[in-house]
Amino acid sequence: MVTARVTGVGTALPPAFDQEEVWEGYFRAHFGGSRVAERIFRGSGVDRRHAVVSPLDEDLSGESTGVRMLRYEEHAPVLGHTAVTAALASAGLTTADVGQLTIASCTGYTAPGLDVRLAASLDLPVDARRLLVGHMGCYAALPALAATTDYVVAHRRPAVLLCVELTSLHLQPPTADPSQVVSHALFSDAAAAIVLQPGDEPGGGLEILGTTTLTDTTAQDHMTWRVTDLGFRMELSPRVPDVLGKHVRPAVEDLLGGHGLVPSDVRGWAVHPGGPRILDTTEQELDLSADALAHSRRVLREHGNCSSATVLLVLDELLARGGLRPGDPVVAMAFGPGLTLCAALLRVT
């Protein structure tokens, strides 16, 4: 049976800023010196983040959505081009080899879209297919991975999956809402891309064995991402980790069980670091060792929560530092609006 393999990873990050510096230099005043906000920032698990527009340099909180979309149009193609080029180089391919470009993004919209802009800048083949996955949020990389896998298996051509998120463009006006403070303490900008090739071709990588999705619609108001006149506004309920905690183990066991595996067989975990409590809950519900989510915590600490791009950053970190061996099972998992949990089972080849 033909499968698909991840054979290359590429990332692109805008300039970084220090979490303490941005608190003292901007957010302390922005949130009126709130002690609650300060505790949230300092308990976020984040040391550094990235932004195409840092609030230390420019305050976008009062700008219209139209202005923010122009900034997205300015910055997203550059980061996306860089990440895709790096991923293709990592896989030993060129843009001429690409049969499909899949893009996931929930932080900006324009038409012609980012997919068309990148098709031009990358000089993709004129018959290359394009798929744009929008507004699914932090878990979008995994359904996008499933769709891209389907293309590779059906057409036996390489494809690229790119996630680009510019959350810094959606800085909101001052508020006392703790959920707003949490999102401003966590979110960051990044682009990350992976290359998929038919699994029966020679070479190493990560073979994609299966994916799963679980959505608890009774909690759909717990995490929202709404378009307003002043950018996109995130709402996060403190109940999110508890709701996800009810579903993590059943979802993962169902995914693994189809391949004769249990959670203790997994040698690498690429879990989206939506925040420290989500990682703690996942670790507890799956009975993971203290260092099983070290790569997720490192990405949260060094890069923040970059929405859909984050799980690919963790996967890159895991491949670089995880000490994985051929045959090792790997689980990638992400969470988002719905409430939705998506997971993928991969195997090192």
Side-chain angles (χ1 to χ4, degrees), residues 102-118:
T102 305
I103 299 176
S105 183
C106 69
T107 49
Y109 296 98
T110 182
L114 181 57
D115 57 322
V116 176
R117 295 282 298 274
L118 287 175

Side-chain angles (χ1 to χ4, degrees), residues 6-163:
V6 176
T7 59
V9 184
T11 64
L13 302 169
F17 58 79
D18 179 80
Q19 181 83 324
E20 179 69 17
E21 181 185 11
V22 79
W23 167 256
E24 293 293 349
Y26 178 82
F27 282 110
R28 179 185 289 279
H30 188 70
F31 290 124
S34 165
R35 292 184 179 180
V36 171
E38 183 173 4
R39 286 198 299 272
I40 290 171
F41 263 71
R42 293 195 165 140
S44 65
V46 177
D47 289 345
R48 299 189 328 141
R49 288 186 281 160
H50 306 267
V52 293
V53 180
S54 168
L56 294 170
D57 300 324
E58 183 179 359
D59 188 350
L60 290 180
S61 65
E63 293 288 358
S64 70
T65 301
V67 167
R68 299 172 196 242
M69 292 303 93
L70 289 174
R71 293 298 187 89
Y72 181 89
E73 221 175 323
E74 174 188 355
H75 294 288
V78 177
L79 287 174
H81 183 104
T82 302
V84 170
T85 301
L88 287 169
S90 172
L93 300 179
T94 70
T95 56
D97 299 309
V98 177
Q100 177 168 302
L101 173 64
T102 305
I103 299 176
S105 183
C106 69
T107 49
Y109 296 98
T110 182
L114 181 57
D115 57 322
V116 176
R117 295 282 298 274
L118 287 175
S121 71
L122 293 164
D123 194 23
L124 293 183
V126 294
D127 66 341
R129 300 188 181 193
R130 304 186 315 277
L131 176 63
L132 192 58
V133 178
H135 233 72
M136 295 187 85
C138 293
Y139 69 88
L142 296 182
L145 173 67
T148 309
T149 297
D150 289 344
Y151 170 85
V152 172
V153 171
H155 297 275
R156 299 179 62 81
R157 290 186 66 185
V160 176
L161 166 59
L162 167 68
C163 296

